[in-house]
C-alpha cells in the first residue's frame, strides 16, 4: 500500500512575508469566530518579533519555554491554560499559531490536537491514535532544518517514551516561511538544526525505503545543505529554509536511520536537543554512512563546531540500557538503514558500544 499522505494546506514563502500574518489569519477569524493563541518561543521575549505578532482583542500570547524539548506534561498544561482562558472570556480558540524553532512548532501542533481530544498528550504518542481533527494551526519557523513545518508528527517526551503524535491531523493548515526570521539565530544552533536536515537526507537517500518521490526532494535538500554549509552566499537563509521544507517532504515516503535512532536515546536520557544529539551520534557512524560522515566533518571544520564528547561513559548501566531500549523501539528506522534483517547487525551489544564512544 502506498501512503496517501496529507500535506500542509497553505504556505507562503519569502523575505518579510511574516508581515502578512494578520491578513492570512483574517480568513480563519471570520470562518470561526474565536480568539487566536500565539505560542511564541520565549527567546523572543525582548525581541522586535514579539511586537510584530498581530494580536487582536481577546487573543492570547503565550511565551513558551523550550530549554527542555517538549514534554507531554507541558502540552497538557498549555492546553489546560488555554481552556481556562477560554472559559474566562466565554470564547473558543479559533487558531493556534506556533512561532519558534521546531520545539515551539511541535508544541503548537500538539496543543491544537489536544484542545479537541480528551485525556493527556501521552495517550496519543504513536501512529494514528488521534480521533478528532485539531483546531486550525499554523507554524512559523525561526530555525530551519528539522522539517517539522511539513511533517505529520509532533515529537514529545512522555513519561515512558520519546515518540511523536503521528497523524494526518497533526499537519499544519498553514506555514509561513520567512527567511528573515532565521537570519539572526546563533551560529551553533543554526548549524545543529541545519545538520538535522543534512543527516535526514543522508539517512533517507542511503536507506532501503527510498522511492523516486523521496529521492527527488531529498537530493534537492541535500544539494541546498551543501551550498549553505560549504559554500554559503547571501541567499543562504532562503536556501536553508527550502532545504528543510524539501527534506521534510522527502521523509513522507522514506525514513531516517541509525543516527536518529541513537539520537533519540541521547535525548531521552541526557536531555540533549535533537540537532546536537544527531551531530554527536553521526560523528561515530562512519561504518554506516562513510561519505556523509566525511562531508559532515568538513562542514564542522568550516563552521568551527566543537561537539561535546564523553557524554555516555560515566552514565550508570541502567541509563545506558534505557538509551539502548529507546533506540531499539524505533524499528522502522533500523529497517530503513539496514534492511529487513537489521536485528543481525543492530544488536544490543553493538548499540551499547556505539553509545560508549560518544
Ligand atoms: P528548538 O526549537 O529546540 O530550539 C533550540 C534553541 O534555539 C532554543 O533555545 C530556542 O529558544 C532557540 N531559538 C529558536 N529560534 C531562534 C532564533 N531565531 N534565534 C535565537 N534562538 C532561537 O530547535 P530545533 O532544532 O528547531 O528543534 C528541535 C526540536 O524539534 C526537538 O524537540 C525535536 O524533537 C523536534 N523535531 C521535530 C520534528 C517534527 O517533524 N515534528 C522533526 C525533527 C525534530
Ligand atoms: Zn531529525
Amino acid at each position: 500500500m502506498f501512503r496517501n499522505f496529507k500535506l500542509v494546506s497553505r504556505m507562503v514563502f519569502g523575505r518579510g512575508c511574516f508581515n502578512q500574518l494578520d491578513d492570512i489569519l483574517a480568513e480563519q477569524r471570520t470562518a470561526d469566530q474565536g480568539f487566536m493563541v500565539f505560542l511564541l518561543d520565549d527567546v523572543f521575549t525582548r525581541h522586535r518579533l514579539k511586537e510584530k505578532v498581530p494580536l487582536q482583542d481577546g487573543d492570547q500570547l503565550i511565551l513558551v519555554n523550550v530549554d527542555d524539548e517538549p514534554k507531554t506534561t507541558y502540552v497538557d498544561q498549555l492546553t489546560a491554560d488555554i481552556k481556562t482562558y477560554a472559559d474566562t472570556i466565554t470564547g473558543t480558540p479559533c487558531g493556534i499559531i506556533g512561532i519558534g524553532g521546531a520545539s515551539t512548532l511541535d508544541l503548537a501542533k500538539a496543543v491544537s490536537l489536544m484542545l479537541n481530544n480528551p485525556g493527556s498528550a501521552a495517550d496519543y504518542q504513536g501512529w494514528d491514535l488521534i480521533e478528532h481533527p485539531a483546531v486550525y494551526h499554523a507554524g512559523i519557523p525561526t530555525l530551519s532544518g528539522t522539517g517539522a513545518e511539513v511533517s505529520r508528527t509532533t515529537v514529545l517526551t512522555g513519561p515512558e517514551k520519546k515518540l511523536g503524535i503521528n497523524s494526518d491531523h497533526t499537519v499544519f493548515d498553514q506555514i509561513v516561511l520567512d527567511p528573515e526570521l532565521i537570519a539572526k539565530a546563533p551560529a551553533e544552533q543554526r548549524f545543529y538544526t541545519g545538520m538535522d536536515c543534512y543527516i535526514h537526507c543522508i539517512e533517507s537517500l542511503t536507506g532501503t525505503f527510498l522511492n523516486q518521490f523521496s529521492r527527488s526532494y531529498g537530493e534537492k535538500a541535500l544539494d541546498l545543505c551543501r551550498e549553505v554549509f560549504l559554500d554559503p552566499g547571501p541567499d543562504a537563509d532562503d536556501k536553508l529554509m527550502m532545504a528543510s521544507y524539501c527534506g521534510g517532504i522527502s521523509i513522507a515516503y522514506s525514513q531516517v536511520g541509525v543516527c536518529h535512532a541513537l539520537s533519540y536515546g541521547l535525548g531521552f536520557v541526557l536531555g540533549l536537543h535533537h540537532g546536537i544529539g544527531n551531530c554527536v551520534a553521526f560523528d561515530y557512524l562512519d561504518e554506516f554512512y562513510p561519505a556523509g560522515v566525511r562531508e559532515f566533518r568538513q562542514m564542522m571544520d568550516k563552521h568551527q563546531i566543537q561537539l561535546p564528547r564523553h557524554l555516555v561513559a560515566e552514565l550508570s548501566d541502567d541509563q545506558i540500557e534505557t538509551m539502548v531500549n529507546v533506540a531499539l523501539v524505533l524499528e522502522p528506522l533500523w529497517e530503513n538503514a539496514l534492511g529487513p534483517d537489521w536485528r543481525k547487525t543492530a544488536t544490543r551489544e553493538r548499540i551499547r558500544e556505539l553509545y560508549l564512544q560518544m
Side-chain angles (χ1 to χ4, degrees), residues 108-344:
K109 288 176 171 181
V111 166
S112 71
L113 290 165
M114 293 314 300
L115 281 166
N116 282 349
N117 287 276
S120 161
D123 304 337
Y124 300 96
Q125 285 179 281
W127 281 269
D128 302 306
L129 302 173
I130 290 282
E131 281 189 20
H132 306 290
V135 172
Y136 170 92
H137 50 300
I140 307 177
T142 64
L143 287 170
S144 284
T146 64
E149 63 277 27
V150 287
S151 75
R152 75 190 292 276
T153 190
T154 159
V155 181
L156 302 175
T157 303
E160 282 158 26
K161 54 198 171 200
K162 181 175 177 188
L163 185 62
I165 301 182
N166 298 268
S167 82
D168 280 349
H169 303 302
T170 310
V171 179
F172 280 118
D173 298 295
Q174 169 84 54
I175 54 175
V176 176
L177 302 183
D178 182 347
E180 285 181 358
L181 300 185
I182 67 168
K184 301 227 169 63
E188 277 200 354
Q189 183 61 56
R190 174 191 167 87
F191 183 84
Y192 292 138
T193 303
M195 281 304 109
D196 192 19
C197 181
Y198 176 78
I199 295 169
H200 281 167
C201 292
I202 299 294
E203 288 177 309
S204 80
L205 289 168
T206 57
T208 59
F209 293 178
L210 195 67
N211 66 8
Q212 191 54 47
F213 179 96
S214 282
R215 184 192 293 282
S216 306
Y217 279 101
E219 284 178 350
K220 186 65 202 172
L222 185 60
D223 286 348
L224 288 167
C225 283
R226 287 181 171 138
E227 290 175 42
V228 170
F229 291 105
L230 291 174
D231 186 20
D235 49 0
D237 293 329
D238 306 60
K239 286 181 177 167
L240 185 53
M241 209 156 224
M242 283 316 298
S244 179
Y245 176 88
C246 294
I249 292 193
S250 119
I251 294 295
Y253 266 130
S254 61
Q255 189 42 279
V256 287
V258 178
C259 180
H260 270 73
L262 297 176
S263 172
Y264 268 57
L266 291 172
F268 190 82
V269 173
L270 294 170
L272 217 55
H273 274 229
H274 183 77
I276 189 168
N278 283 344
C279 290
V280 167
F282 200 55
D283 202 27
Y284 296 96
L285 298 182
D286 312 68
E287 91 186 70
F288 301 102
Y289 306 109
V293 174
R294 248 194 329 272
E295 191 171 54
F296 164 72
R297 293 196 184 120
Q298 286 170 17
M299 293 175 176
M300 281 210 296
D301 283 348
K302 185 165 174 69
H303 294 268
Q304 300 176 334
I305 299 292
Q306 303 283 336
L307 289 177
R309 307 266 179 203
H310 313 299
L311 297 169
V312 176
E314 304 286 301
L315 296 180
S316 72
D317 231 39
D318 277 359
Q319 284 175 305
I320 299 175
E321 281 303 293
T322 304
M323 276 190 190
V324 175
N325 291 338
V326 172
L328 275 173
V329 166
L330 301 161
E331 296 186 1
L333 282 62
W334 293 103
E335 187 177 342
N336 176 47
L338 305 170
D341 289 336
W342 62 270
R343 284 186 181 80
K344 289 189 187 143

